[in-house]
Amino acid sequence: MTLTMLPLAPKDVGRLSDVFVSALGSIAGGELNRLKLPRVQSAVVVLIDGLGYENLLEHTGHARNLAALLKNPSSAAIRCGFPSTTAVSLTSFGTGLRAGMHGVLGYQLKTPQGGIRNMLNGWRPTDNPREWQVHRTIAENATAFKVSTHMVASPEYEGSGFSQIIMGGAEFAGIGEIRNRVRHADRLARKKGSLVYLYFAELDQAAHRFGTGSPEWTRALEEIDSALAELSGEYGFIVTADHGIVDVPASQHVYLDAIDGFAEAVTLAVGDPRALFCYGDKARAEAALAGVAVYVTTFEELHTAGWVAGKETIDEVPDFVIVSKGQLACYDRRTAKPQSLKMIGQHGGIDDRETRVPLLRGGLYS
């Protein structure tokens, strides 16, 4: 029997939204410092895409510097919101608003016109991403405190629609080589009144292609970890992530379009395979999915259970959401891209491996 009753969200769900704004508060002072970080004159916030807390604990032998930060008594695990996906988490990170409050509901969304919007990389030059995310970013608010904000990431993110959503107002530096990226962040943070966002996509990319048990993933972790030793100035720094990873073998893929009655019940299913946004008849879909290890739920139920904090959005809230349980991923091949069917590393759901992320304090934050 398909389970539809969601568990209540842990109390720390959504605290990723406190991290970047707290770093600003640690420089500027006042109520922005939600995490009560020590006062500093500048700071670096490192975000390693896809480095879940459990993922890190299982691979500390490949991450000497991160393992040392884990031993800091002030370091901890926090949680992202729902879905546990980059688009939602980084928007929360960049605005200080929890999932459900900032207009970016998921990785892929149905537009009011009936199309599909990819929130990460589906922006055309004529689009206005800030129609979806209308709130001021933390970087934009930092100017009132005379704090200069910087985003240091791979060059391909410069000027992207999603970068505007999360870091509008920040000065961008595009650097491909990982160690040079860290060195540049270090130089920026040595200037008083600087808040630096240092982003790594490489680990998440390796997880999707090869899984977290692969040599490719551990090499990416080792390279990032080694480079982080360059953060050595008189400033505070934090290492966190946007979500964790669940490895799902192909044998655990569920092809929803092949299940009797599903295609008739659901006209559109988009998003992460572990958190599919569906449009159609929920009751008929539940009947079709009887016996499949998923939650079939609504955003109203997600809100009531505490997984999302609000319902403010301009897009169409899906009729229901299919949330995978355990080591499972659900695909609707009518909309899923062929390359996505090959993914090993997955996220989006409410499993601890997906939602728990590190909050590691270093430098003057130690």
Side-chain angles (χ1 to χ4, degrees), residues 184-201:
H184 187 70
D186 173 73
R187 287 193 294 270
L188 291 171
R190 289 174 185 267
K191 183 179 179 181
K192 295 179 181 178
S194 297
L195 175 58
V196 184
Y197 165 50
L198 175 58
Y199 175 67
F200 298 100

Side-chain angles (χ1 to χ4, degrees), residues 28-323:
E31 296 180 357
L32 296 175
N33 192 354
R34 302 173 189 170
L35 298 178
K36 302 188 186 307
L37 300 171
R39 287 298 300 272
V40 294
Q41 293 183 324
S42 59
V44 178
V45 182
V46 182
L47 195 141
I48 305 174
D49 199 318
L51 183 62
Y53 190 72
E54 276 75 12
N55 302 135
L56 176 58
L57 289 181
E58 293 166 357
H59 295 88
T60 52
H62 296 276
R64 180 178 60 185
N65 293 309
L66 292 172
L69 293 175
L70 270 171
K71 296 177 182 178
N72 187 329
S74 59
S75 293
I78 57 174
R79 292 180 192 261
C80 62
F82 178 86
S84 51
T85 195
T86 300
V88 176
S89 291
L90 291 191
T91 306
S92 291
F93 176 87
T95 62
L97 299 171
R98 287 185 56 189
M101 299 176 68
H102 49 56
V104 178
L105 282 188
Y107 160 55
Q108 290 177 318
L109 305 172
K110 180 181 178 182
T111 68
Q113 295 76 31
I116 301 172
R117 168 67 70 193
N118 183 317
M119 301 302 292
L120 288 178
N121 51 32
W123 300 101
R124 301 165 301 186
T126 55
D127 293 329
N128 179 9
R130 298 301 290 271
E131 289 182 353
W132 292 77
Q133 196 292 92
V134 301
H135 305 277
R136 288 177 62 83
T137 67
I138 293 164
E140 289 167 337
N141 288 331
T143 59
F145 302 98
K146 298 183 179 179
V147 174
S148 61
T149 311
H150 306 266
M151 176 178 176
V152 184
S154 295
E156 62 263 31
Y157 301 112
E158 182 170 10
S160 73
F162 189 64
S163 292
Q164 294 175 46
I165 283 176
I166 66 170
M167 283 289 150
E171 181 179 330
F172 184 88
I175 300 172
E177 204 276 325
I178 285 175
R179 188 169 293 272
N180 288 339
R181 205 179 305 163
V182 181
R183 287 172 175 165
H184 187 70
D186 173 73
R187 287 193 294 270
L188 291 171
R190 289 174 185 267
K191 183 179 179 181
K192 295 179 181 178
S194 297
L195 175 58
V196 184
Y197 165 50
L198 175 58
Y199 175 67
F200 298 100
E202 288 83 356
L203 197 68
D204 184 68
Q205 292 166 351
H208 284 313
R209 291 186 63 190
F210 305 108
T212 60
S214 67
E216 291 85 355
W217 190 88
T218 53
R219 279 198 297 268
L221 177 62
E222 289 169 351
E223 185 176 6
I224 293 169
D225 178 80
S226 175
L228 290 178
E230 303 286 346
L231 297 177
S232 58
E234 292 296 309
Y235 49 78
F237 73 87
I238 287 176
V239 180
T240 190
D242 53 347
H243 56 76
I245 297 290
V246 175
D247 286 346
V248 180
S251 61
Q252 292 294 98
H253 290 182
V254 175
Y255 301 117
L256 300 173
D257 52 286
I259 296 175
D260 288 344
F262 183 85
E264 291 74 22
V266 177
T267 58
L268 182 66
V270 297
D272 295 281
R274 289 182 56 81
L276 276 176
F277 287 15
C278 298
Y279 302 84
D281 189 318
K282 179 175 180 286
R284 292 176 64 192
E286 283 185 295
L289 294 172
V292 181
V294 294
Y295 299 106
V296 182
T297 188
T298 65
F299 256 82
E300 182 69 33
E301 292 166 343
L302 286 160
H303 179 259
T304 299
W307 292 103
V308 296
K311 301 174 234 181
E312 176 192 345
T313 180
I314 66 165
D315 63 278
E316 290 190 32
V317 173
D319 295 321
F320 59 95
V321 186
I322 297 173
V323 182

